[in-house]
């Protein structure tokens, strides 16, 4: 399987459209993170120099949401392009075991998401340190709270891009994969319109709350084990459904 | 061509076996209880009218389509159970199965990486298929013939024992067709099993050792080219003589089937030697005595008559527009 993943990375490097998309993902995520930080006075009425280092990281890491959305799009495009009429014949002739093909694509998306989100977190951390030093504030130390935020952000990107890939396999389309992942991402906002007791119940099964629990591990009284379980169930069910459809398909 | 290696003699002689292979899409039966054995060292022409199930059969061989009934085994195993499938079966199902923004070299390099093949094979295949000079051009600038060449390069990349090509002559120029003919012969001579589907009957006739014809998903014929020439109703003896009426009467007495044609006769059920002897016995001067073998197209039409799903009704454009 490692050769197949390597071939996918090769394909990503060869095709300009994929390269530009990855570049845009990194650039936009950092840009939006910094924009959120510098517009904090307008959006939340707070002065930048009065923010703590942790608050600054919190705001800048909102750029990771942009990364998640960009990788949702990338994952759906990547999966569907290889399943497109014609291309799929070469790909499946080379990897006729559907399970292996499916796991390869999901692994590629997962590895890519991890690599990009790790790079982004390091860049965001460095940008924050730079802004802090420019404002002569106290430098950030890499403590457990920051690590939790970093891991939480990475998991969010990994989670949504994997959902998108599984969705693209299930719907056999790029819009299908993107819509599925974005629905899971934004449905909690709609659920909040229900009465509180209903929305509380529904929100507990949506991944958003679990991701926040992991992100704010030190700040909120949430069970990280419970949160991880919810995320795992979502991923496992989505992947199983995606594979079930893919396995049955004739090309 | 040293780049195409001869297959090991240790291998079993039977490479691919289709047993009772059936594929149904709802109520439509695309492939109907097909039994076939594809053997090494031969070029097999796979023929059938449009929608006869050729492509579906090819796709079932490489597990792209799951059979409703029956199975396909490659050396006793399902294609999907083969440890290194690209080294056993190489396929060209669709020449558009390429990313237009890749170059030929990049495309082959990705396949070689995925299949864990020696990267040297990429350059070798570019050389074999004559794409060396355009290896760094994007596929979108390629003609259909060049895409076909790249498809053949992809199929041969793993140096497989069996090569399955769906309509490889499409879009090929004269030079490309000549090259493909030579390549198929070389592959078969090196012990490989080559399966080629094409609607260009003359091309199949030029390269195939064996012809398999299917219609409405059923096997209609499976024979060598020699058998085909012998068995077809389309083969006859063309006779020209100074007294056509007299020789017609003599031939009819011998239960031959005689039909006027051009300035002579088409004679069936009697061989040339017998016709010559009868002419001599009856003092008839022969101007021509020729054995006419049918073209593959004739045989194909003869065998698939009434077995095509899509047939033009012979309505003229004028009638259609009225």
């Amino acid at each position: 399987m490692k050769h197949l993943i390597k071939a996918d990375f090769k394909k990503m490097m060869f095709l300009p459209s994929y390269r530009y998309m990855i570049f845009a993902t990194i650039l936009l995520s950092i840009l939006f993170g910094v924009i959120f930080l510098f517009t904090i006075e307008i959006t939340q009425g707070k002065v930048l120099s009065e923010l703590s280092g942790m608050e600054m990281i919190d705001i800048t890491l909102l750029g990771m949401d942009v990364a998640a959305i960009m990788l949702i799009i990338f994952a759906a495009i990547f999966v569907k392009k290889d399943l497109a009429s014609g291309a799929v014949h070469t790909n499946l002739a080379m990897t006729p075991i559907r399970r292996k093909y499916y796991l390869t694509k999901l692994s590629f998306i997962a590895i890519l998401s991890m690599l990009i989100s790790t790079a982004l977190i390091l860049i965001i951390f460095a940008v924050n340190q730079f802004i802090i030093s420019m404002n002569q504030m106290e430098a950030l130390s890499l403590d457990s709270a920051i690590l939790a935020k970093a891991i939480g952000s990475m998991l969010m990107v990994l989670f949504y891009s994997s959902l998108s890939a599984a969705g693209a396999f299930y719907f056999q389309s790029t819009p299908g994969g993107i819509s599925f992942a974005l629905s899971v991402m934004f449905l909690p906002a709609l659920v909040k319109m229900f009465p509180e007791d209903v929305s509380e119940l529904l929100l507990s099964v949506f991944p958003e709350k679990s991701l926040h629990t992991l992100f704010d591990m030190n700040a909120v009284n949430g069970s990280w084990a419970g949160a991880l379980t919810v995320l795992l169930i979502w991923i496992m069910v989505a992947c199983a459904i995606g594979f079930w459809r893919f396995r049955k398909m004739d090309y | 061509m040293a780049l195409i290696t001869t297959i090991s003699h240790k291998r079993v002689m039977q490479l691919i076996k289709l047993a009772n292979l059936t594929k149904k899409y709802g109520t439509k039966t695309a492939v109907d209880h097909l039994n076939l054995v594809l053997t090494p060292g031969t070029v097999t022409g796979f023929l059938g009218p449009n929608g006869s199930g050729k492509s579906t059969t090819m796709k079932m061989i490489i597990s792209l389509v799951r059979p409703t009934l029956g199975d396909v085994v490659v050396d006793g195993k399902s294609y999907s159970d083969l440890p290194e499938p690209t080294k056993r079966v190489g396929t060209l199902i669709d020449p558009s199965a390429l990313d237009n923004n890749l170059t030929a070299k990049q495309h082959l390099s990705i396949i070689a990486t995925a299949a864990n093949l020696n990267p040297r094979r990429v350059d070798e295949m570019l050389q074999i298929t004559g794409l060396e000079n355009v290896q760094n051009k994007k596929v979108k600038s390629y003609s259909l013939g060049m895409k076909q060449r790249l498809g053949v390069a992809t199929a041969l990349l793993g140096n497989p024992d069996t090569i399955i090509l769906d309509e490889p002559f499409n879009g090929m120029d004269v030079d490309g067709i000549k090259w493909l003919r030579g390549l198929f012969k070389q592959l078969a001579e090196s012990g490989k099993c080559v399966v080629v589907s094409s609607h260009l009957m003359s091309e199949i006739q030029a390269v195939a050792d064996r012809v398999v014809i299917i219609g409405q998903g059923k096997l209609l014929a499976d024979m060598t080219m020699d058998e085909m020439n012998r068995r077809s109703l389309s083969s006859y003896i063309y006779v020209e003589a100074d007294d056509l009426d007299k020789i017609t009467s003599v031939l009819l007495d011998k239960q031959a089937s005689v039909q006027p044609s051009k300035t002579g006769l088409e004679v069936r059920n009697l061989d040339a030697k017998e016709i010559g002897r009868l002419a001599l016995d009856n003092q008839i001067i022969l101007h021509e005595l020729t054995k006419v073998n049918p073209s593959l197209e004739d045989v194909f039409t003869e065998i698939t008559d009434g077995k095509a799903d899509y047939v033009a009704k012979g309505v003229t454009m004028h009638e259609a527009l009225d």
Side-chain angles (χ1 to χ4, degrees), chain A residues 3-4 6-7 10-11 14-16 81 86-90 92-94 96-98 247-251, chain B residues 23 59 62-66 79-80 85-86 91 93-94 97 99 101-102 106 109-111 113-114 116 138:
Chain A
H3 299 294
L4 296 168
K6 203 173 153 190
K10 214 169 193 179
K11 189 185 293 173
F14 282 154
L15 285 169
K81 206 167 180 183
V88 71
H89 297 151
T90 309
L92 286 181
M94 214 163 45
I97 304 169
R98 302 274 172 110
R247 194 174 60 94
K248 279 176 41 175
M249 290 292 294
D250 285 334
Y251 290 98
Chain B
K23 181 66 189 179
K59 286 177 180 178
I62 54 167
S63 302
L64 287 173
V65 170
R66 295 182 320 154
Y79 180 76
S80 56
T86 41
T91 50
I93 299 288
D94 184 351
D99 197 310
N101 289 309
L102 289 172
Q106 287 173 338
S109 170
I110 290 168
I111 306 280
T113 304
N116 193 23
K138 288 190 174 173

Side-chain angles (χ1 to χ4, degrees), chain A residues 87-108:
Chain A
V88 71
H89 297 151
T90 309
N91 294 326
L92 286 181
M94 214 163 45
T95 320
I97 304 169
R98 302 274 172 110
R99 189 181 62 250
K100 191 175 175 184
Y101 181 88
Y102 188 76
L103 287 176
T104 298
K105 293 294 162 196
L106 288 185
S107 303
F108 166 72

Side-chain angles (χ1 to χ4, degrees), chain B residues 118-136:
Chain B
N118 189 332
R120 260 207 333 264
R121 286 291 294 171
V122 172
D123 294 323
E124 289 171 0
M125 285 307 108
L126 289 167
Q127 191 189 328
I128 281 184
T129 51
L131 291 172
E132 262 179 319
N133 294 335
V134 290
Q135 60 178 296
N136 293 318

Side-chain angles (χ1 to χ4, degrees), chain B residues 216-235:
Chain B
Q216 294 176 339
K218 291 190 176 80
L219 182 67
L220 301 179
D222 177 6
M223 53 194 166
T224 63
M225 291 303 279
D226 290 343
E227 274 178 310
M228 185 196 83
N229 289 335
R230 279 200 309 272
R231 281 166 46 178
S232 173
L233 293 173
S234 306
S235 68

Side-chain angles (χ1 to χ4, degrees), chain A residues 11-194:
Chain A
K11 189 185 293 173
M12 189 188 78
M13 295 314 291
F14 282 154
L15 285 169
S17 56
Y18 288 150
R19 282 204 309 268
Y20 296 151
M21 215 171 155
I22 295 301
F23 179 70
T25 300
I26 294 170
L27 194 72
L28 288 175
S29 304
I30 297 164
L31 195 67
F32 273 87
V34 172
I35 289 171
F36 290 142
L37 187 64
F38 282 109
T39 55
I40 196 73
E41 201 167 341
I42 304 160
T43 54
Q44 292 185 28
K46 291 178 183 173
V47 181
L48 180 65
S49 57
E50 288 172 4
L51 294 175
S52 69
M54 186 60 84
E55 282 176 310
M56 284 176 69
I57 277 279
D58 250 352
I59 296 163
T60 326
L61 278 176
L62 286 173
M64 293 299 281
D65 289 3
V66 177
I69 292 170
M70 291 294 284
L71 282 170
I72 282 173
I73 298 167
F74 178 90
I77 291 174
F78 192 86
V79 168
K80 176 55 191 162
K81 206 167 180 183
D82 278 0
L83 288 178
S85 172
V88 71
H89 297 151
T90 309
N91 294 326
L92 286 181
M94 214 163 45
T95 320
I97 304 169
R98 302 274 172 110
R99 189 181 62 250
K100 191 175 175 184
Y101 181 88
Y102 188 76
L103 287 176
T104 298
K105 293 294 162 196
L106 288 185
S107 303
F108 166 72
I109 294 297
I111 293 168
L112 182 69
S113 300
M114 295 295 282
L115 287 175
I116 289 177
S117 49
T118 305
L120 276 173
I121 283 164
L122 290 174
I123 295 169
I124 286 170
F125 190 74
V127 167
N128 267 284
Q129 290 288 33
F130 177 72
I131 295 168
I132 284 168
S133 68
M134 293 298 283
N135 286 285
Q136 291 163 347
M137 295 159 70
E138 197 182 331
L140 268 174
S141 58
L142 202 64
D143 61 11
S144 60
I146 288 185
L147 273 177
K149 286 181 192 303
I151 293 168
S153 302
M154 282 167 70
L155 282 178
M156 176 192 62
V157 174
L158 172 67
F159 176 79
Y160 285 115
S161 59
S162 302
L163 279 193
S164 174
F169 271 108
Y170 179 78
F171 293 105
Q172 299 280 305
S173 79
T174 301
I178 295 171
S179 308
F180 174 61
L182 289 182
S183 303
V184 175
M185 187 183 255
F186 292 118
L187 263 183
L190 292 176
V191 168
K192 282 171 189 163
M193 292 191 301
F194 288 105

Side-chain angles (χ1 to χ4, degrees), chain B residues 198-224:
Chain B
S198 178
H199 64 276
L200 298 173
M201 304 292 164
S202 55
E203 292 314 322
I204 292 291
Q205 191 159 22
V207 296
D209 308 303
R210 174 188 174 196
V211 183
V212 171
I213 302 176
I214 63 171
Q216 294 176 339
K218 291 190 176 80
L219 182 67
L220 301 179
D222 177 6
M223 53 194 166
T224 63

